[in-house]
Amino acid sequence: MALRVRAAMEAISLAMADQTDRGEVAFYIPELATSDPQNFAMSVSLASGEQISVGTSDTAFSIQSISKIFTLAIALGRFGDGFWRRVGREPSTMAFNSIQELEIRKGRPANPFVNAGAITTTDMILAGSTPAECIGEILQFVRLAASDDEIFVNPAVAASETATGHKNWALAHVLTAFGNLEHPCEMTLGVYFHQCAIAMTCAQLARCGRFLAGFDAEQDLVAAKHVRSINALMMTCGHYNGSGEFAYRVGIPSKSGVGGGILAIVPHVASIAVWSPGLDRDGNSLLGIQALELLSESMGWSLFQGATSSLDNPLVSNRSRTCR
Ligand code: GLU
């Protein structure tokens, strides 16, 4: 399979180099506004442990909202189903940082991937530790997942968002007003801004997603039932208001960040990271989605594919065996 994946990725990398419309970088976080939209990278980590990368896959970028996967994993591990008392699991209908939606929902965020839901998740895992310890725990989680200790927070990005993230400050205050934030806003947001500022290369991020693909189960990072929940949330809510369109075009659980990264999971087959900093109108990487659409199509990786699509996909081939 690795050879086919490599051939597909090389073709995609060439196609992406030709794209003139590369989206708009996230100007609302000054430190991200300097990203170069010419960057494109993709890395795929397979069950066998083989890893295939194209483009600037060794350049670190800000994972931003992709970090919400890891805090959700920590929270589910700690609180189990009790987690959902404070956060919903429905797609949002408004922007990822909407204050209006949080008010309509009376302070219980739609899901853990909109900003209000992620801030609440961070508030939950902050219980019993200092902000510095909590950031340390999140870093330890991603380092273990990626089997790589060279993953760090970019302090300039964290400082940039702390100074200018007024919508997030507002969301934290609204959560407090509804009694859904246990810590002072500056403590919870201190952790939140730092988790968003974690920097990874595409190659590191693809390895980081292996636990979601069901690889390396012996690592025991997250229980299988939580992996299933996280993948379900990624499928339904991972791209904000673009989630339905993403399911239609690509068809695999994935989560985007405004740094231009996307982590996408083909269960039991591949963990894929893609990065291109230019965003579409929903705040998702424009080229990242195009590249994932092309890869999913050429490998037959959509989970919604018919039974005969790809013998490489154990989900599909198991299904076809059962049907016969
Ligand atoms: N740090 C970003 C924010 O809070 C995360 C949003 C994203 O990556 O989608 O606005």
Side-chain angles (χ1 to χ4, degrees), residues 130-316:
T130 63
E133 286 165 348
C134 188
I135 295 160
E137 184 185 0
I138 299 166
L139 267 178
Q140 192 191 2
F141 185 98
V142 293
R143 287 172 179 167
L144 263 176
S147 306
D148 189 336
D149 284 341
E150 297 299 303
I151 297 174
F152 304 99
V153 170
N154 180 331
V157 175
S160 177
E161 218 188 335
T162 305
T164 60
H166 301 299
K167 281 256 193 167
N168 288 323
W169 287 102
L171 286 169
H173 284 289
V174 175
L175 285 165
T176 306
F178 280 105
N180 202 7
L181 211 70
E182 284 177 354
H183 299 89
C185 298
E186 57 276 16
M187 280 176 76
T188 301
L189 284 182
V191 179
Y192 174 76
F193 290 140
H194 280 78
Q195 74 181 61
C196 289
I198 291 174
M200 283 194 216
T201 67
C202 252
Q204 287 172 323
L205 184 59
R207 285 196 297 277
C208 212
R210 289 179 62 82
F211 74 98
L212 293 170
F215 306 154
D216 315 330
E218 70 284 356
Q219 249 191 344
D220 208 20
L221 262 177
V222 180
K225 67 173 184 173
H226 298 324
V227 165
R228 199 175 61 214
S229 309
I230 297 166
N231 279 325
L233 266 288
M234 286 166 74
M235 180 62 99
T236 52
C237 312
H239 290 263
Y240 306 123
N241 285 352
S243 298
E245 181 70 9
F246 188 86
Y248 180 85
R249 287 172 57 188
V250 186
I252 51 181
S254 79
K255 178 75 199 89
S256 68
V258 292
I262 303 178
L263 177 62
I265 304 298
V266 189
H268 309 299
V269 179
S271 167
I272 310 164
V274 61
W275 172 55
S276 181
L279 308 178
D280 65 15
R281 66 171 198 283
D282 293 313
N284 304 310
S285 172
L286 185 76
L287 265 52
I289 292 179
Q290 287 173 12
L292 284 169
E293 182 175 19
L294 290 169
L295 186 65
S296 167
E297 236 171 57
S298 57
M299 294 305 297
W301 277 349
S302 167
L303 300 195
F304 305 110
Q305 203 91 32
T308 53
S309 337
S310 170
L311 295 176
D312 281 340
N313 185 337
L315 289 176
V316 174

Side-chain angles (χ1 to χ4, degrees), residues 7 25 36 69 139 321-322:
V25 299
D36 180 359
I69 296 173
L139 267 178
R321 269 200 294 279
T322 330

Side-chain angles (χ1 to χ4, degrees), residues 28-29 32 63-66 68 96-97 113 115 119 161 165 167-168 192-193 196-197 240 255-260 282-284:
Y28 78 100
I29 301 176
L32 296 186
I63 65 167
Q64 291 296 320
S65 277
I66 301 170
K68 297 170 183 175
F96 67 95
N97 53 6
F113 293 156
N115 285 9
I119 293 167
E161 218 188 335
K167 281 256 193 167
N168 288 323
Y192 174 76
F193 290 140
C196 289
Y240 306 123
K255 178 75 199 89
S256 68
V258 292
D282 293 313
N284 304 310

